Amino acid sequence: MSDQSRDTIESLSHEDRTFPPPAEFAARAQIQEAEYRRLLALAETDYERFWAEQAQAELQWIQPFTRTLNDREAPHYQWFEDGLLNVSVNCIDRHLPDRANKPAIIFEGEPGDTRRLTYAELLHEVVRFANALRGRGIKKGDRVVLYMPMVPEAVIAMQACARIGAIHSVVFGGFSGDSLRDRINDAEASAVVTADGGFRSGRVIELKAVCDRIIGDCPSVHTVFVLKRAGNPVTWSPARDIWWHEAVAGAGADCPPVAVGAEHPLFLLYTSGSTGRPKGIQHSSAGYLLGTILTMRWVFDIRPDDVFWCTADVGWITGHSYVAYGPLAAGATLLMYEGAPMVPDPGRYWQICERHKVSVFYTAPTAIRALKKQGDDYPARYDLSSLRLLGSVGEPINPEAWMWYHTHIGHGRCPIVDTWWQTETGAHMIAPIPGVSTLKPGSCGRALPGIMADIVDNKGDPVGAANTGGFLVIKRPWPFMLRTVWRNPQRYIDTYWKEFDGRYYVSGDGAKRDADGYFWIMGRVDDVLKVSGHRLGTMEIESALVAHSRVAEAAVVGRPDELTGEAICAFVVVRGTRPSGPDAEALTQDLRQWVSEHIGPIAKPAVIRYTDNLPKTRSGKIMRRLLRAVAAGEPITQDVSTLENPDIIRQLQGD
Ligand code: WT7
């Protein structure tokens, strides 16, 4: 466990404020104490029956399942395997005709344009785009990569894939061309869906232009659908490119949903790990959807009259589970905002909450900290009385940010659900039940019913005692877990199951549990960074750096940062003489740009330091703990007697 994690937990240990559910909220909550206890007890006594009942009650099946869990090929678990369903039917058709005129999506673009789509209109759009995909020969099992701005068509395209059983893989629009190309090629996608551009931070992000640069290196792609959004000029390849509006113009208004098996992959989503290239996390259809629906009710207490706003981009898992699928499956109204929180000023989020009467708001600690820094005046200008529940996700929320969120956004009236989960887990795993749980700022509460979370030591034995740190593991498979790493089952086993001989799913996080059974997440225990809640592998950034002609070696570590949680700090050894002065400054500029082009702007190192060599152990392993201490400006406590050149400590420290 890193020193930084220990410090986080040290400071959190002093947190003893508690917030019981407000009486008014508790009285109306969908999950009340008795129901919560019943769910917990049933999951304890009859695990498979518990999940079978949930899956029968919450999903519309075309053919019901008869087997709940198949563990014969563990850890490649299968859930509800002989059932047949269609995910888009479960998100849209099931609400018709009852909710035909209810808004499914309220959209606000960064420039201020707005759009509303009712459930009936959403179905119409999904069906037409599904037919457009079919018109280009896309069929069940084919992969479709999305590289889109945060506009309704992103959700429409995902739902359209689900309708025909195509497997989507969304690539965050902030990733570079190289990242896009690698993901397209790993997935062997037949088609890409993109836009001319999207509006972000007052600029046009030219997505089609990025696609054009790499598409020649993606032999599997025969079609690129292009949504006209920003109106910026684009270049065109008539054999391959087709405008969205032209593709749907001739498409039929009827598209029978394709029945898929419960285990049919709904999507791949690439995410970073501590080794190798980003891996394609493969999720199922039925189990995954079940997780999103249940947590919409258990954790977000969702009701038909809610306007639900999750600020995450569809390029991340949060934007899958709580933008594209969960809110629709739950029949809520989904708010989508295209742009950045500070445009035109830091009141934008609160203005949107007022304008569209948002009732449940879900965002990341990094956004809360950034908005808090702008002062209390911005939220004070807006009527936030429609809000009734707030959520947090992506990294531990520090108690100060929690208190600000609670006071200035929730006006002391709204519970805050701090939700712990991962790309791999599909949906919330550890989170409060807002009408039941007493909240502790900085803790994500107890594990949800049916989720067997525990903390173990490095031998895999449960630590047992309260407040003892260890590895956060999940002891039993759950329906919304990842199924495998796309076309790499061995990597799935090695990454998530090997550490404790297949006994547990290993999350990669450190945590402790207090005497009340509340989990306190201490951060990653592997070489994964969380920068503004985004997940980045140190190795990926190192590989990008060493691909530069002047770089011989590089080591990347995280440094605590007040706003972004962690900041990227790179130690670089160049070929030839160690740069200094203006040469070092120019190279730093160049390397930051380089990383941005290779991975994306989110991966740009905040600090680059040049050194003659990297501190290594006798066996040649980079001393990352030492580098983390140096990056954080902490005193060095490690044994450095094995260093070949003790002077490098001073170089590393930037003297
Ligand atoms: C990692 C997963 C889950 C969707 C967004 C991130 C960290 C996530 C919390 C939380 C403390 C959290 C963990 C986890 N994390 N939520 N509420 N409290 N840490 O998904 O990119 O797959 O990252 O985010 O370190 O392992 P992801």
Side-chain angles (χ1 to χ4, degrees):
M1 205 150 298
S2 73
D3 298 347
Q4 187 192 322
S5 309
R6 282 183 212 285
D7 291 349
T8 313
I9 212 67
E10 260 313 297
S11 59
L12 287 174
S13 303
H14 306 307
E15 183 55 51
D16 52 14
R17 284 170 285 204
T18 57
F19 297 83
E24 205 188 323
F25 191 100
R28 285 194 69 199
Q30 308 212 21
I31 305 293
Q32 305 263 337
E33 182 85 32
E35 173 66 356
Y36 176 57
R37 302 240 161 265
R38 188 189 74 82
L39 291 170
L40 280 179
L42 183 58
E44 280 293 336
T45 51
D46 195 343
Y47 192 72
E48 287 191 31
R49 196 179 123 212
F50 168 80
W51 285 118
E53 282 187 10
Q54 302 301 327
Q56 279 151 0
E58 301 293 344
L59 299 176
Q60 278 193 1
W61 294 92
I62 295 169
Q63 173 187 297
F65 62 94
T66 62
R67 279 191 298 275
T68 302
L69 171 63
N70 174 351
D71 58 6
R72 279 188 298 274
E73 283 163 51
H76 287 98
Y77 297 98
Q78 305 204 305
W79 286 89
F80 322 121
E81 58 180 341
D82 58 341
L84 294 175
L85 80 171
N86 180 277
V87 168
S88 84
V89 167
N90 273 276
C91 293
I92 310 172
D93 307 51
R94 76 187 301 175
H95 307 305
L96 301 173
D98 300 11
R99 294 181 186 156
N101 297 321
K102 176 191 166 139
I105 301 180
I106 301 175
F107 168 72
E108 183 166 317
E110 194 179 78
D113 53 320
T114 60
R115 249 171 94 191
R116 272 164 187 260
L117 282 168
T118 64
Y119 271 93
E121 288 163 341
L122 177 62
L123 180 64
H124 183 66
E125 297 298 328
V126 167
V127 159
R128 289 200 310 157
F129 193 64
N131 281 330
L133 290 170
R134 290 206 306 186
R136 285 279 174 146
I138 315 271
K139 54 181 191 319
K140 181 179 167 191
D142 290 351
R143 275 80 57 211
V144 176
V145 162
L146 272 62
Y147 190 61
M148 300 277 282
M150 269 300 279
V151 294
E153 281 78 5
V155 172
I156 291 166
M158 292 161 85
Q159 289 283 348
C161 287
R163 194 155 195 95
I164 61 170
I167 303 168
H168 61 69
S169 182
V170 185
V171 177
F172 173 53
F175 277 127
S176 69
D178 287 8
S179 301
L180 176 63
R181 180 200 56 218
D182 292 350
R183 286 157 172 79
I184 291 172
N185 288 339
D186 190 77
E188 292 182 89
S190 318
V192 173
V193 187
T194 188
D196 50 358
F199 297 101
R200 179 93 198 171
S201 303
R203 291 194 308 271
V204 171
I205 308 295
E206 300 199 1
L207 298 163
K208 170 74 161 68
V210 176
C211 270
D212 287 343
R213 280 203 292 278
I214 53 94
I215 208 78
D217 298 325
C218 302
S220 58
V221 175
H222 56 65
T223 301
V224 177
F225 294 93
V226 187
L227 176 75
K228 202 181 199 76
R229 163 63 187 150
N232 51 308
V234 290
T235 50
W236 209 252
S237 155
R240 187 193 63 212
D241 299 341
I242 176 164
W243 285 109
W244 175 298
H245 56 270
E246 286 173 8
V248 298
D254 186 35
C255 176
V258 171
V260 302
E263 285 292 314
H264 180 69
L266 178 62
F267 64 86
L268 311 178
L269 184 58
Y270 285 81
T271 191
S272 300
S274 41
T275 57
R277 291 196 168 186
K279 41 191 185 277
I281 300 301
Q282 180 179 320
H283 276 288
S284 70
S285 293
Y288 169 80
L289 192 66
L290 178 64
T292 69
I293 298 178
L294 286 175
T295 52
M296 284 302 297
R297 239 214 350 272
W298 291 351
V299 181
F300 290 132
D301 186 44
I302 204 76
R303 283 200 288 258
D305 56 347
D306 275 317
V307 176
F308 178 85
W309 182 15
C310 163
T311 65
D313 191 279
V314 286
W316 310 109
I317 189 70
T318 313
H320 284 60
S321 305
Y322 302 108
V323 177
Y325 292 108
L328 296 174
T333 295
L334 162 70
L335 188 124
M336 273 183 96
Y337 168 57
E338 177 185 32
M342 309 283 182
V343 180
D345 68 42
R348 185 65 182 265
Y349 273 9
W350 320 128
Q351 183 191 50
I352 293 174
C353 286
E354 175 187 279
R355 183 180 290 160
H356 303 291
K357 301 207 166 25
V358 172
S359 56
V360 182
F361 177 71
Y362 189 36
T363 196
T366 189
I368 299 165
R369 290 191 297 262
L371 292 166
K372 172 175 181 277
K373 200 176 154 203
Q374 301 296 320
D376 307 345
D377 296 353
Y378 286 104
R381 279 182 211 161
Y382 299 95
D383 175 6
L384 298 179
S385 60
S386 58
L387 289 172
R388 63 181 194 92
L389 180 63
L390 304 173
S392 170
V393 61
E395 52 177 320
I397 177 165
N398 45 312
E400 297 67 43
W402 196 103
M403 287 307 302
W404 185 82
Y405 199 24
H406 193 254
T407 308
H408 294 277
I409 309 305
H411 295 258
R413 186 187 67 240
C414 308
I416 298 177
V417 286
D418 177 357
T419 58
W420 180 87
W421 59 298
Q422 307 179 295
T423 303
E424 294 86 342
T425 71
H428 303 155
M429 299 289 280
I430 307 178
I433 306 287
V436 174
S437 312
T438 289
L439 307 172
K440 303 186 188 189
S443 164
C444 50
R446 297 194 182 97
L448 293 175
I451 301 302
M452 306 303 177
D454 205 351
I455 294 170
V456 301
D457 63 21
N458 50 19
K459 289 200 215 66
D461 297 323
V463 297
N467 298 316
T468 308
F471 301 95
L472 176 58
V473 299
I474 312 298
K475 298 201 285 192
R476 299 194 70 167
W478 65 103
F480 31 107
M481 66 193 293
L482 79 163
R483 292 305 191 262
T484 191
V485 171
W486 177 249
R487 298 213 167 139
N488 200 342
Q490 192 57 45
R491 192 161 173 205
Y492 165 71
I493 294 170
D494 292 348
T495 311
Y496 304 105
W497 299 93
K498 216 166 87 181
E499 184 119 13
F500 302 115
D501 316 315
R503 280 183 289 163
Y504 316 122
Y505 166 83
V506 183
S507 71
D509 277 0
K512 70 165 192 175
R513 198 162 34 182
D514 69 18
D516 298 324
Y518 280 50
F519 285 86
W520 299 77
I521 307 296
M522 297 150 79
R524 302 289 307 193
V525 290
D526 51 12
D527 292 320
V528 169
L529 303 183
K530 279 264 140 176
V531 181
S532 297
H534 301 320
R535 183 160 153 183
L536 293 162
T538 50
M539 238 196 66
E540 262 173 276
I541 306 171
E542 288 163 7
S543 313
L545 285 167
V546 296
H548 188 279
S549 61
R550 283 193 65 188
V551 176
E553 241 191 322
V556 168
V557 296
R559 181 188 74 181
D561 185 277
E562 244 183 62
L563 274 186
T564 59
E566 277 189 294
I568 301 168
C569 196
F571 296 92
V572 169
V573 181
V574 301
R575 296 174 200 280
T577 324
R578 182 163 66 98
S580 59
D583 175 35
E585 273 161 41
L587 182 58
T588 297
Q589 288 289 329
D590 195 21
L591 289 177
R592 296 186 71 224
Q593 189 53 32
W594 176 265
V595 173
S596 178
E597 279 162 22
H598 277 70
I599 304 176
I602 52 171
K604 265 190 204 174
V607 181
I608 299 181
R609 290 198 187 145
Y610 300 97
T611 168
D612 287 328
N613 38 53
L614 294 171
K616 289 185 185 161
T617 62
R618 278 186 205 281
S619 60
K621 268 188 82 176
I622 294 172
M623 298 168 75
R624 288 180 176 278
R625 207 155 78 86
L626 175 85
L627 289 179
R628 273 196 288 265
V630 169
E634 289 165 1
I636 311 292
T637 53
Q638 291 79 348
D639 177 12
V640 289
S641 58
T642 53
L643 283 180
E644 273 174 59
N645 172 6
D647 282 351
I648 69 157
I649 298 275
R650 289 231 313 282
Q651 284 179 14
L652 295 169
Q653 286 167 331
D655 296 348

